Amino acid sequence: MSAVIVIGTQWGDEGKGKIVDYLAQKADYVVRSQGGSNAGHTVVVGNTSYKLRLLPSGILYKGKVCVLGNGVVIDPKIFLEEMDDMARQGVDLSQLRISNRAHIILPYHRLLDRLQEERRGQEKLGTTQNGIGPCYMDKSSRMGIRIADLLDAGVFKQKLKFNVEVQNDICRNVYGHAGVDCDSILTEYLAYADRLRPYIVDTTTLLNRALEEGKKILFEGAQAVMLDLDHGTYPFVTSSNPSAGGACVGAGVGPSRIDTVIGVVKAYATRVGEGPFPSELTGNVGETIRREGHEYGTVTGRARRCGWLDACVLRYAVCVNGLDYLAVTRLDILSKLAKLKLCVAYRHRGKLLDEYPADLNTLGEVEPVYEELDGWLTDISRIRAYDDLPDNAKRYLARISEISRVKLGIVSVGPARDQTIDLIKIWE
Ligand code: GDP
Ligand code: IMO
Ligand code: MG
């Protein structure tokens, strides 16, 4: 078993970073294959909390090759700040490799992200305003600028000039904004190119060679299924494919090379940004979960909306991703609740739905059908063996696994590496 994909099954922030950091102990390579600095993965090692946005969580170990694949979008300014920040904290970056096919985020992408959101007004998506959508738009419309282009000053200058002209036309004519200055971007980005150059390789070749050599590769998802451009609650989604298939496309690795797909499931649900959230809790219980779980965004600091675990979402995630195992995180956060609810079905106009609705009006009207379970009302953060969990916690986990028809692989009871109950021991 050499290639394992870890993805988010809800709306992001499930604890993918923590699970990847835990599994990375045994991996040789850790790969990000989609998204950009919209991601915020907090990983706790000892007394230090690392906030990673683009760097794969394997970077916190010495000697793991950490790859940013072709499907990632890179804002060089933010990325270099992240690299500098990590280097200051003593993190070794020598094993970092960046795809020459990855697309770069330019200042006009950030600007357009903001202008688009302003234009949407009440209908805004609540993006992280990192320029993710506009950058993937340029990629799809075949006018994007890739890392390989950035490395060649002549090519970069020519592409940048063309793009700035087009984007400034849009800024002026659609949004009444003056746009950006080409020359200053050119100077700024050529300096970034010099700094990034040592890390840039053909990561597709690198990863496929590694697989041939039997190396262990861990794919670290960013965002989650319900934010997937194709499968999520469109248009309240991100602009990449955080689902398992996206890992293959975004790293240049064939699906037949993947052995295991692990879905990370937060023991409750959160969503940051706008969009439907059927099991959302707007009252006291939601407030308690937010307070207990410190549910505030890593990237934007926004309060995360909180709700009950939604098994309809989970079943959909199982279907879209072909999950082999669940990694349930943040079970400890529920320890103060006497009663827990699990959304097991959606009712719409009196009928139970058997498919996840594509139409947001329907999704907005569904009534969650809840099953109530007893809480365990005891601290579980020091438990390290499944059998030692309180019976009610085991019942809750068993029900999640039963409804989703996926085996429980990992249970996380705290942010630290050792606060992990591992039932599958992949790579041991
Ligand atoms: P990601 O984006 O999916 O990597 O998740 P985030 O890092 O944005 O949010 C998850 C947060 O929960 C981080 O602060 C983690 O350190 C923390 N975390 C992960 N697993 C657990 C857990 O089992 N219990 C608790 N209390 N915190 C956890
Ligand atoms: P991680 O990897 C939670 C959300 C934004 C917004 C929508 C689109 O930490 O789980 P974008 O900037 O991508 O165009 O925003 O997606 N979003 C996330 N929510 N966790 C994330 O990443 C997210 N990345 C994007 O809040 O609703
Ligand atoms: Mg996050």
Side-chain angles (χ1 to χ4, degrees):
M1 200 183 284
S2 59
V4 175
I5 296 178
V6 174
I7 50 128
T9 61
Q10 293 152 313
W11 282 280
D13 304 324
E14 295 88 353
K16 298 175 291 292
K18 139 100 201 218
I19 297 299
V20 168
D21 171 74
Y22 170 78
L23 293 171
Q25 296 177 71
K26 297 269 182 330
D28 301 304
Y29 288 66
V30 184
V31 185
R32 275 278 306 271
S33 33
Q34 45 69 228
S37 41
N38 47 350
H41 297 182
T42 300
V43 178
V44 176
V45 184
N47 293 326
T48 314
S49 173
Y50 297 91
K51 299 205 179 302
L52 301 165
R53 297 180 65 179
L54 259 166
L55 285 168
S57 297
I59 203 77
L60 303 176
Y61 297 87
K62 254 194 181 333
K64 314 275 174 198
V65 183
C66 286
V67 176
L68 295 187
N70 53 278
V72 164
V73 287
I74 299 173
D75 183 325
K77 181 171 187 284
I78 293 190
F79 185 48
L80 285 162
E81 280 169 11
E82 182 182 347
M83 286 169 67
D84 289 343
D85 206 36
M86 288 299 144
R88 266 195 300 275
Q89 293 186 70
V91 174
D92 173 22
L93 299 172
S94 63
Q95 298 301 307
L96 173 67
R97 302 289 181 269
I98 303 169
S99 169
N100 48 12
R101 292 186 173 85
H103 281 245
I104 56 172
I105 296 184
L106 286 129
Y108 49 78
H109 292 133
R110 290 185 153 267
L111 174 63
L112 285 165
D113 199 352
R114 178 168 67 77
L115 295 173
Q116 285 171 3
E117 281 285 83
E118 282 169 12
R119 176 61 64 89
R120 289 184 190 113
Q122 293 288 322
E123 307 298 315
K124 73 178 193 308
L125 306 179
T127 75
T128 62
Q129 304 214 356
N130 277 280
I132 305 293
C135 182
Y136 278 118
M137 272 170 70
D138 281 1
K139 176 177 176 177
S140 305
S141 64
R142 292 155 298 176
M143 62 186 282
I145 301 183
R146 301 184 302 165
I147 290 279
D149 306 320
L150 179 65
L151 293 190
D152 182 322
V155 172
F156 181 59
K157 185 175 178 182
Q158 181 229 327
K159 292 205 171 201
L160 182 69
K161 190 167 173 293
F162 175 80
N163 277 269
V164 167
E165 274 171 19
V166 173
Q167 306 290 9
N168 278 354
D169 272 352
I170 295 172
C171 285
R172 275 192 289 266
N173 297 323
V174 178
Y175 298 105
H177 188 285
V180 295
D181 175 54
C182 185
D183 289 342
S184 59
I185 298 176
L186 185 65
T187 314
E188 182 187 343
Y189 273 64
L190 288 177
Y192 298 149
D194 286 339
R195 288 203 55 201
L196 292 174
R197 197 178 301 272
Y199 303 100
I200 296 166
V201 297
D202 181 334
T203 54
T204 302
T205 306
L206 178 82
L207 291 171
N208 282 283
R209 280 200 188 127
L211 281 166
E212 270 166 33
E213 288 165 10
K215 298 277 194 259
K216 296 170 185 136
I217 303 189
L218 190 54
F219 293 89
E220 175 174 1
Q223 292 80 49
V225 182
M226 297 316 264
L227 294 173
D228 185 288
L229 182 60
D230 285 77
H231 303 290
T233 50
Y234 190 92
F236 298 97
V237 293
T238 191
S239 297
S240 67
N241 289 116
S243 304
C248 293
V249 178
V253 166
S256 62
R257 299 289 176 271
I258 306 301
D259 303 292
T260 305
V261 184
I262 300 178
V264 186
V265 188
K266 199 182 279 202
Y268 48 95
T270 59
R271 174 164 207 169
V272 59
E274 312 305 316
F277 183 1
S279 65
E280 183 168 13
L281 288 162
T282 47
N284 283 343
V285 182
E287 200 42 62
T288 306
I289 295 177
R290 184 174 310 116
R291 195 181 52 244
E292 290 296 317
H294 310 288
E295 289 291 0
Y296 294 89
T298 316
V299 176
T300 56
R302 290 177 291 179
R304 293 173 183 153
R305 299 155 65 194
C306 297
W308 295 120
L309 180 57
D310 184 340
C312 300
V313 166
L314 185 53
R315 273 195 300 252
Y316 183 58
V318 172
C319 156
V320 169
N321 297 285
L323 298 182
D324 295 301
Y325 296 104
L326 304 179
V328 178
T329 58
R330 303 195 125 237
L331 193 64
D332 52 303
I333 300 298
L334 298 180
S335 297
K336 290 198 177 142
L337 297 175
K339 294 281 177 198
L340 303 174
K341 285 187 184 176
L342 200 53
C343 167
V344 293
Y346 291 160
R347 187 176 287 121
H348 184 250
R349 299 186 183 166
K351 273 216 225 114
L352 292 181
L353 300 182
D354 57 7
E355 288 169 358
Y356 204 88
D359 158 33
L360 292 201
N361 287 332
T362 306
L363 194 52
E365 286 169 10
V366 298
E367 292 164 50
V369 178
Y370 288 112
E371 237 175 61
E372 197 174 75
L373 291 97
D374 290 327
W376 42 94
L377 294 174
T378 177
D379 180 14
I380 57 169
S381 63
R382 287 184 185 79
I383 293 177
R384 298 291 176 269
Y386 185 79
D387 287 343
D388 295 341
L389 284 168
D391 285 344
N392 286 348
K394 281 192 264 191
R395 239 172 250 133
Y396 186 62
L397 291 169
R399 191 69 189 122
I400 296 170
S401 169
E402 187 180 72
I403 295 180
S404 60
R405 293 206 219 110
V406 179
K407 288 192 202 94
L408 199 58
I410 295 175
V411 180
S412 173
V413 293
R417 251 178 216 169
D418 71 323
Q419 290 178 299
T420 310
I421 300 170
D422 187 348
L423 303 166
I424 41 175
K425 304 219 188 301
I426 277 179
W427 291 330
E428 263 181 27

